[in-house]
Amino acid sequence: MLPARGPALCSALRRAAPCGFASFHCTARRPRGARVAVVLSGCGVYDGTEIHEASAVLVHLSRGGAEVQMYAPDVPQMHVVDHSKGQPAEAESRNVLVESARIARGKISNLAKLTTVDHDAVIFPGGFGAAKNLSTFAVDGKDCKVNREVERVLKDFHKAGKPIGLCCISPVLAAKVLSGAEVTVGHEEEEGGKWPYAGTAGAIKELGAKHCVKEVTISFPDNSHVDTKNKVVTTPAFMCETELHNIFDGIGAMVKNVLKLTGK
C-alpha cells in the first residue's frame, strides 16, 4: 500500500491525533508534577541571568516532571555589558523583563504576578543580574538592598513553607532576606583561582546567614546544601572554575532536592 500523500496525509494525521491536528506537534500529557516558578534577572552572565544555569534549571525541572512558569521584574538593568569585551556599553539601556524573555522564549510574566498560591516552589538561577538587577549586592555588598518584589517572593514562599532554590551568586538574596538561613556559594578561599568569587562567603556571613562549604562536582554527594529548617536549597554552580557538566550536575542536585521538598 502506498503511503498517504497531500490531503490524505493530513487527514491521516488528524485521525491519529486524539485532540486534533495541533496535538500532533505537542508532547504527551504527563501526570501533574510540582508547579515551579523560575525567576530570571536578564540575559547574559555579566548583566543578567547566566544562560547555562537557567538552561540547566529548566532541563532538570522538565526531567523531574515539573510545570514551569518564568518571571522577571519589570525594571531597568543596572547597566548593559558588552559580553565580547566584558565592559559596560555606556550608551545602552535595557529592561530586565524584556531581556529575560529571550531565555523564556517569550513565555514570561512580570514578577509582581508571582504568588505562592500558584506555585509549589521557586528557583533563582545565578548570573551577575542577581547581584545587579535583583539586588544591589554587586555595588553595596553586605549593605545591599533587594528588589521589592524579589524580597516579597522570598518572604512569601518562606512563610508558606515552600522550598526556594538558588545557585551561583543568587544565594546572597536569601542571606539578605531570610534571617539565619543556611546557604552555600562553594568554598571560602580562592584556592589558586578555582573559586574566584570566594569572598562572597564572607559577605554572606556578614549578612547574618550561615555559609556551608560545598563542592560543585557530582563526584561529591554534598554538591548542594539543603537548609531543611528554612527549605532553602543552594549550589555553587559557576562560582567554581570547572567543566560545564559539573555545573549542570550540581544544579541537577539542587533541583532534585527542591522537588523533593515539595512532596510532589
Side-chain angles (χ1 to χ4, degrees):
M1 181 177 179
L2 293 175
R5 295 177 183 274
L9 175 59
C10 292
S11 178
L13 292 177
R14 288 192 183 94
R15 289 196 300 273
C19 299
F21 186 72
S23 65
F24 181 75
H25 298 281
C26 301
T27 55
R29 291 184 178 274
R30 298 183 296 182
R32 185 172 180 177
R35 301 166 300 168
V36 182
V38 176
V39 180
L40 305 179
S41 60
C43 182
V45 58
Y46 298 126
D47 59 7
T49 302
E50 211 299 320
I51 299 171
H52 298 297
E53 291 182 7
S55 295
V57 167
L58 296 173
V59 168
H60 287 296
L61 284 173
S62 176
R63 183 169 289 153
E67 295 183 13
V68 178
Q69 173 62 49
M70 284 173 270
Y71 295 86
D74 187 5
V75 297
Q77 291 185 186
M78 178 185 130
H79 61 183
V80 177
V81 173
D82 180 340
H83 282 62
S84 69
K85 300 176 181 178
Q87 298 175 351
E90 301 295 344
E92 290 191 47
S93 62
R94 299 186 184 183
N95 178 279
V96 174
L97 178 61
V98 172
E99 290 301 294
S100 297
R102 294 175 180 271
I103 297 174
R105 297 173 63 89
K107 297 179 180 179
I108 195 162
S109 298
N110 191 323
L111 185 60
K113 297 180 179 179
L114 173 52
T115 69
T116 58
V117 175
D118 298 323
H119 301 284
D120 302 303
V122 62
I123 293 179
F124 292 78
F128 282 97
K132 293 179 177 180
N133 304 328
L134 303 188
S135 72
T136 63
F137 182 80
V139 177
D140 300 322
K142 67 180 180 63
D143 298 317
C144 68
K145 295 180 180 179
V146 175
N147 172 276
R148 182 179 60 184
E149 292 298 337
V150 172
E151 181 173 1
R152 175 190 62 80
V153 167
L154 288 169
K155 288 182 175 178
D156 285 355
F157 274 80
H158 183 257
K159 184 178 180 180
K162 295 185 175 183
I164 301 165
L166 311 101
C167 63
C168 197
I169 191 69
S170 66
V172 300
L173 303 172
K176 176 68 176 182
V177 173
L178 306 179
S179 179
E182 296 179 2
V183 301
T184 188
V185 290
H187 283 208
E188 299 179 355
E189 301 293 335
E190 291 190 16
E191 299 178 20
K194 182 179 179 181
W195 296 89
Y197 311 107
T200 306
I204 283 173
K205 294 176 183 178
E206 291 182 308
L207 286 169
K210 178 180 179 181
H211 183 260
C212 303
V213 174
K214 295 289 176 179
E215 297 294 340
V216 71
T217 59
I218 197 66
S219 59
F220 291 86
D222 60 347
N223 58 354
S224 71
H225 179 72
V226 181
D227 177 351
T228 54
K229 178 181 177 181
N230 294 296
K231 291 191 176 181
V232 174
V233 187
T234 51
T235 193
F238 277 105
M239 298 298 278
C240 180
E241 289 290 336
T242 185
E243 291 82 3
L244 182 59
H245 68 274
N246 290 326
I247 307 296
F248 183 87
D249 291 342
I251 290 174
M254 180 268 286
V255 170
K256 183 178 180 180
N257 282 319
V258 167
L259 294 177
K260 184 177 179 180
L261 286 172
T262 68
K264 295 189 175 183

